[in-house]
Amino acid sequence: AALCSWGVWQMTFLLQWNRWMPAWEKEVHHGVIVGVWLGFIFQLIIMACFLRISSRLYLSPEPIFFPPTVDAAITAIVGINYGSTGITLALCSLWLALLAVLCILPPCLYYILQNDNIARNPSIGILQAPVSLLCHAFNACRQRRVIIASSQIDNAIHLALFGLSALLFHLTAWATWRRRNVIFARLNLSWSAFTFPFCATAIASLEVAAQANSSTSAFVKGFVHYYATSIAVLALSVVAFVILIIVAQSCGFINDERQLSAVLDDDDDLDFHLHEALFSLEGFGDGKTPKKLSSSSIANEKTTLMFSA
């Protein structure tokens, strides 16, 4: 879970830089290009560090792998509007995000659908985010220039990404339902992990609905608009509910003891520290090659830690 937050740094930096730059610097693009360069380099560093640590700890792909990797698409969304240099960085970031999705998403889906003990916390909501974010970035780039061969091919790829985004949204809902007894056992601020993925899916859906042209049949156009509106309302509802939880905690309705229990129940944090601790017991610090930990050993140690805590 600690590794997952790395990707948020680059995303927040780029979006805030793009928003706070003075108007005159945006006109000449110099200030924003500096920010895009910094965001791009920052993303490469975060991705390299994350992949190095996850490979050393033999971590299996989970939804928390996406923020430090697929958030490269944010550079594409911001940089595509600012000159030739920005377009170059944007396209490089777009292809980097696409590569990350192709490498991480298939095994991640396999592990999540095969084993309900993986991502048994609100991080399961992140599963819907990568393709939705990639769909948004691809749409932003294709409106500025042709990405593949022609606008028709770009349109087809955009629709394919939207279809995959919709599929992942429903798979995420299904996987969340299967883990509902653990995820929704108590009010938990970690539910905020659902907010950004829902918003990313809503944006991708609304963009497709807005681009439905006159040649589209009335049924398809109506269905897409209804689907996009439903996702947007659901995203706003999730965000509003999480805000209510934050207000309730600030007012003392959610006490510290419950929050401590929520932290102890965070499987990703426990898995991360257990991997680190158990590898040291296996001689990881002595230069020996650590063996991959089985899920049963992790579960046993996790139970021991939770009861001792």
Side-chain angles (χ1 to χ4, degrees):
L3 298 177
C4 176
S5 64
W6 292 8
V8 181
W9 301 348
Q10 178 260 1
M11 177 178 66
T12 304
F13 169 78
L14 269 177
L15 294 178
Q16 294 303 320
W17 183 290
N18 184 48
R19 181 177 181 180
W20 290 345
M21 289 305 297
W24 68 270
E25 289 194 346
K26 283 190 175 182
E27 290 177 1
V28 296
H29 308 319
H30 295 321
V32 177
I33 285 300
V34 171
V36 174
W37 268 112
L38 290 176
F40 181 74
I41 295 173
F42 198 14
Q43 176 64 48
L44 293 180
I45 294 174
I46 291 174
M47 187 178 295
C49 293
F50 173 78
L51 293 177
R52 180 174 181 270
I53 292 176
S54 60
S55 62
R56 286 180 61 186
L57 297 180
Y58 287 83
L59 299 178
S60 300
E62 294 187 29
I64 61 172
F65 274 47
F66 293 120
T69 54
V70 185
D71 273 1
I74 297 295
T75 306
I77 296 172
V78 174
I80 196 65
N81 297 312
Y82 299 102
S84 58
T85 303
I87 292 176
T88 301
L89 293 176
L91 293 179
C92 291
S93 300
L94 179 66
W95 292 117
L96 186 62
L98 178 60
L99 178 63
V101 169
L102 292 177
C103 293
I104 299 175
L105 183 59
C108 181
L109 271 177
Y110 173 78
Y111 288 124
I112 286 177
L113 299 180
Q114 183 189 51
N115 189 352
D116 290 346
N117 291 322
I118 295 178
R120 296 172 65 243
N121 50 58
S123 69
I124 189 67
I126 304 176
L127 181 63
Q128 63 178 302
V131 177
S132 298
L133 186 61
L134 187 62
C135 182
H136 178 39
F138 189 88
N139 181 62
C141 291
R142 78 185 184 90
Q143 290 183 351
R144 296 285 296 179
R145 56 163 293 168
V146 174
I147 299 177
I148 307 297
S150 65
S151 58
Q152 290 79 9
I153 296 179
D154 287 350
N155 291 338
I157 294 177
H158 182 227
L159 290 177
L161 289 174
F162 167 69
L164 184 56
S165 170
L167 174 63
L168 285 174
F169 168 75
H170 290 90
L171 288 177
T172 300
W174 181 61
T176 302
W177 177 255
R178 291 176 57 176
R179 296 160 174 80
R180 64 190 181 280
N181 294 332
V182 177
I183 295 176
F184 304 114
R186 61 175 59 84
L187 289 178
N188 196 334
L189 287 179
S190 62
W191 288 357
S192 59
F194 286 106
T195 55
F196 176 78
F198 270 106
C199 291
T201 303
I203 291 173
S205 303
L206 290 172
E207 287 178 342
V208 172
Q211 294 170 10
N213 51 41
S214 57
S215 61
T216 306
S217 65
F219 173 78
V220 173
K221 186 184 299 185
F223 174 79
V224 172
H225 279 83
Y226 174 79
Y227 175 80
T229 303
S230 302
I231 298 297
V233 171
L234 181 60
L236 291 175
S237 302
V238 171
V239 173
F241 189 70
V242 170
I243 292 176
L244 286 177
I245 295 177
I246 296 175
V247 172
Q249 186 198 30
S250 302
C251 296
F253 295 109
I254 303 178
N255 57 39
D256 294 334
E257 181 180 354
R258 289 183 181 179
Q259 290 303 310
L260 177 60
S261 299
V263 172
L264 291 177
D265 284 344
D266 192 326
D267 290 347
D268 291 322
D269 270 340
L270 286 174
D271 283 350
F272 177 79
H273 295 299
L274 282 170
H275 273 292
E276 194 172 38
L278 294 180
F279 272 160
S280 63
L281 295 177
E282 294 291 340
F284 185 71
D286 299 329
K288 300 178 182 179
T289 302
K291 61 182 181 180
K292 185 174 182 179
L293 299 178
S294 63
S295 58
S296 59
S297 64
I298 293 177
N300 293 336
E301 294 296 333
K302 185 185 302 182
T303 303
T304 303
L305 278 183
M306 293 181 65
F307 277 108
S308 63

